[in-house]
Amino acid sequence: MAEKSQSQVWIRKFGLKLFNWVAGLLILFLLWLLGGYLIYLNPDTTHFSDFGPIPTFQAFPLLWEDGTIPNAIKSSGYRLGIGLLIAICCGIPIGILLGRSRTFRELSNSPFQLLRMISPLSWEPIAVIVFVTWNQAIIFLIAVASVWPVAFATAAGLAKVDPAWFKVARNLGASSWHRLTQIIIPAITFDMLTGIRAALGVAWIVLVPAEFLGVTSGLGYSIADARETLSYDHLTAMVLTIGIIGYILDSSCALAIKRFSWHRGDEA
């Protein structure tokens, strides 16, 4: 009976979450539909009616069949993946140094805070001059934007680790490598993944405007191209595609946080 009762509670909770998820999307769709209808009714804006949901959904099969969406996802995904990988490979060691070395933390605090507060897109003119291709420049912008959330989240996680753990490990003869792999990494996994999730959101925001200029592929380029050709239904379809992909990526990070960290709350 207890197992049956628990399963019923789980089903009710899952059903409520699913209902709220569907209801939220439905409300958003209805607001979008209403906005499109009001645009259509106004004689001054009726030629923008393709921004509405029905023309947008009708454009999806065409954009998929002619390769616009798959190619844009492939190009943007490559830039995003390489940029994030660089940010993670740099951000985690920097965060560990910030959390473990007081000298490094005091020396780097002002420079890091100064660099962190510079808008990533303001580096674009410099990146174009320094790097040979636009691909490299965009990857640099993504890395610069997303390295700070990873680094500071890692440092914050390490600051919460009980110093007694390291004393015990040293007394037991643990090497620096063992302390890193057996204490630091497991203890900061939650914060590290949370930082990566935040970095992904920042990188995704930077990626699209960075692709507006200079490149001939990617999600940002597809939006700019649709704007130039006045294909408003294609433009809105690409914007929706960006939202869907971003939602999937963020949800994947949230699942990873729950799965691979020792925290068992409902943080995400």
Side-chain angles (χ1 to χ4, degrees), residues 136-209:
Q136 295 174 350
I138 293 173
I139 289 170
F140 168 77
L141 295 176
I142 292 171
V144 166
S146 50
V147 68
W148 305 118
V150 177
F152 287 117
T154 301
L158 193 53
K160 293 184 289 187
V161 178
D162 191 341
W165 293 6
F166 298 104
K167 292 180 181 179
V168 172
R170 281 194 297 269
N171 291 336
L172 293 175
S175 64
S176 298
W177 175 253
H178 283 108
R179 290 198 295 271
L180 175 65
T181 57
Q182 302 300 320
I183 298 178
I184 294 177
I185 297 300
I188 66 173
T189 298
F190 174 81
D191 300 273
M192 197 164 56
L193 290 175
T194 302
I196 292 173
R197 182 184 183 185
L200 175 62
V202 173
W204 194 243
I205 292 173
V206 170
L207 172 66
V208 175

Side-chain angles (χ1 to χ4, degrees), residues 10-11 21 37 41 60 69 72 82-83 88 94 103 121 137 147 188 192 213 244 252:
W10 183 86
I11 290 173
W21 184 78
Y37 181 66
L41 289 180
F60 267 104
I69 292 178
I82 299 298
I88 292 169
I94 290 173
T103 302
L121 292 177
V147 68
I188 66 173
M192 197 164 56
L213 298 173
I244 292 171
S252 300

Side-chain angles (χ1 to χ4, degrees), residues 46-66:
T46 188
H47 55 287
F48 295 119
S49 60
D50 282 348
F51 282 128
I54 295 176
T56 297
F57 289 125
Q58 289 174 341
F60 267 104
L62 299 175
L63 292 172
W64 188 268
E65 290 173 4
D66 66 10

Side-chain angles (χ1 to χ4, degrees), residues 250-267:
D250 182 75
S251 299
S252 300
C253 286
L255 290 174
I257 291 172
K258 290 183 178 181
R259 171 64 180 83
F260 295 108
S261 70
W262 52 268
H263 291 249
R264 286 294 177 264
D266 194 23
E267 296 87 349

